[in-house]
Amino acid sequence: MNTVTQQTQQTQQSQQSSKPVNAAAPGNPADRAVKRQRILDILDAAGRDSLLLTTNTALTWYLDGSRVHISLAGDPVAAMLVDRDGDHLVTFNNEAARISAEELPDGVALHTVPWHGQLHAAASMLAPEGKPLSEADVTAELRTARQQFLPGESARYARLCADVAAAMTDALAGATPETTEFAVASALAARIVAMGAEPLVLLCNGAGRSGFRHPLPTHAPIGRRAMAVVCARRNGLVANVTRWVRFDPGTPAELDAETRIAAVEADIFDATVPGARLDGIFAEIREAYVRHGFGADQWTLHHQGGPAGYAGRDPRATPATDDAVVLNQTFTWNPSGPEVKIEDTVQLTGAGIAVLSVDPRWPAAVVNGVRRPLTLEL
């Protein structure tokens, strides 16, 4: 009997006893059933019997929110083999008790390998044909499978995005010109962690560093104006939000740029419709920058966003990405110009674009029928 089989039997015997009383299994059973069928459809199209999922994006999507990481910078501590008979999650022996008790959805068999073992090789050994499809074999198909959000994950995403927007309000409303960029980032980090999420990205620039579009925070005070950016993950889903704060009425040039970048975003929203391709939307982005006075090269100075969800962007839109937009898909577009940027996480619904990262306390204006954030003036 091999090591993975021996430890599988031991783990399966202990699963029931290790689960806390009244513990709710992660995920939504109805949503998970649809996701499993989407994987089976991929297997049918490929003429194969199993698929090995190894990335955080694929695992958290398929498990419907289970946490399969320890280090935010490290690889997942689990791998999933999906075959026609069932779902098999393989993890290290030192992770199995926690995963069984807190992260294992109903109907998933748990297998273990030694903490020093080969996780992916052990999971592959469980494949009926001996060599499963890898994620790299079906990258585009898996991305398509993640596109259309299901009811349970849509509700989870909306709650996360609203929580992140509220954290932005709380943190920035307490800032002063003397507050440092690191202090803004730490205030945001504390709130993100307290809500049960992981801060994947925390950016802040004050008035003296406003030319940087990816500003890692420093000890500099923010001064008269600042931008903060958060990408926060909970249950596998990533919310992306940018907000601005200032301590005076703003210069005419700033106010004009803020109005024009919101107009660029409105044009992008108008182009984000079912059936549109990402390369076509990207062409509209390039034209919108010119149309609203930012210049033809503006798109080259920062990425423009794209579909969102179980990755920060899934994928980033470029002139070469040809994925087609579907109903109930989620997006974070982030057009930017010199010292100006706008960014929220939204969902394409039957009624149009619905902004998910909303805090009613934050000042907003209606732009082409959609409420968009203004700069918070303190």
Side-chain angles (χ1 to χ4, degrees):
M1 185 178 292
N2 62 41
T3 302
V4 68
T5 303
Q6 289 177 323
Q7 297 204 12
T8 295
Q9 291 177 345
Q10 294 167 5
T11 302
Q12 289 174 336
Q13 289 168 4
S14 66
Q15 279 180 27
Q16 293 302 319
S17 60
S18 64
K19 288 204 179 213
V21 177
N22 299 325
N28 179 299
D31 285 4
R32 287 207 66 248
V34 174
K35 292 179 181 184
R36 176 167 169 78
Q37 186 58 55
R38 291 177 183 176
I39 294 294
L40 293 177
D41 291 343
I42 291 173
L43 293 177
D44 288 342
R48 299 289 291 276
D49 289 323
S50 64
L51 171 63
L52 181 63
L53 303 179
T54 57
T55 66
N56 191 80
T57 297
L59 288 164
T60 55
W61 167 75
Y62 189 68
L63 291 167
D64 212 37
S66 299
R67 296 175 297 176
V68 291
H69 71 279
I70 296 300
S71 167
L72 293 178
D75 294 330
V77 295
M80 168 71 80
L81 184 84
V82 183
D83 65 28
R84 296 186 183 278
D85 294 325
D87 297 331
H88 305 271
L89 189 68
V90 182
T91 190
F92 298 111
N93 65 317
N94 58 319
E95 306 293 348
R98 177 187 62 83
I99 286 179
S100 176
E102 300 175 347
E103 307 293 343
L104 191 69
D106 292 337
V108 176
L110 185 64
H111 310 257
T112 65
V113 295
W115 62 264
H116 52 86
Q118 299 298 312
L119 188 66
H120 297 173
S124 296
M125 288 171 55
L126 299 171
E129 72 275 28
K131 186 178 180 183
L133 277 172
S134 71
E135 285 191 44
D137 296 326
V138 286
T139 299
E141 292 86 346
L142 284 171
R143 208 162 63 223
T144 298
R146 293 191 295 268
Q147 282 183 303
Q148 189 167 53
F149 267 49
L150 297 164
E153 62 190 346
S154 291
R156 289 200 310 275
Y157 206 15
R159 288 193 297 270
L160 167 63
C161 291
D163 286 348
V164 173
M168 278 287 209
T169 302
D170 293 338
L172 293 179
T176 71
E178 292 74 35
T179 303
T180 68
E181 295 168 348
F182 271 132
V184 170
S186 64
L188 287 167
R191 287 166 171 80
I192 296 301
V193 173
M195 70 175 65
E198 300 126 18
L200 302 184
V201 176
L202 290 170
L203 304 178
C204 183
N205 61 8
R209 303 175 65 241
S210 57
F212 300 132
R213 303 200 190 195
H214 272 167
L216 293 174
T218 72
H219 290 292
I222 61 175
R224 56 168 293 271
R225 181 173 182 256
M227 176 185 75
V229 180
V230 170
C231 300
R233 184 176 67 194
R234 187 171 67 194
N235 302 122
L237 293 162
V238 182
N240 312 288
V241 181
T242 294
R243 294 290 184 266
W244 291 82
V245 62
R246 65 172 162 244
F247 303 93
D248 59 30
T251 69
E254 288 168 357
L255 299 174
D256 176 63
E258 290 167 2
T259 298
R260 288 186 291 116
I261 203 65
V264 171
E265 184 195 52
D267 289 351
I268 302 171
F269 285 166
D270 281 348
T272 306
V273 296
R277 294 193 340 180
L278 293 184
D279 52 2
I281 298 174
F282 201 90
E284 175 60 27
I285 292 172
R286 296 172 67 168
E287 294 174 5
Y289 277 122
V290 175
R291 190 159 49 240
H292 297 292
F294 284 102
D297 68 336
Q298 203 56 231
W299 70 273
T300 68
L301 303 178
H302 190 271
H303 80 84
Q304 304 301 307
Y310 291 89
R313 302 297 187 278
D314 195 16
R316 285 184 182 179
T318 74
T321 47
D322 61 358
D323 303 44
V325 172
V326 299
L327 198 64
N328 294 325
Q329 192 171 5
T330 56
F331 297 85
T332 300
W333 299 111
N334 51 265
S336 64
E339 302 187 13
V340 67
K341 178 188 176 190
I342 191 166
E343 178 183 27
D344 271 301
T345 303
V346 307
Q347 186 167 29
L348 177 61
T349 72
I353 292 291
V355 182
L356 303 182
S357 46
V358 172
D359 180 356
R361 298 173 297 166
W362 192 273
V366 176
V367 180
N368 199 21
V370 180
R371 284 181 60 84
R372 304 304 301 122
L374 299 171
T375 295
L376 178 66
E377 294 185 1
L378 297 175

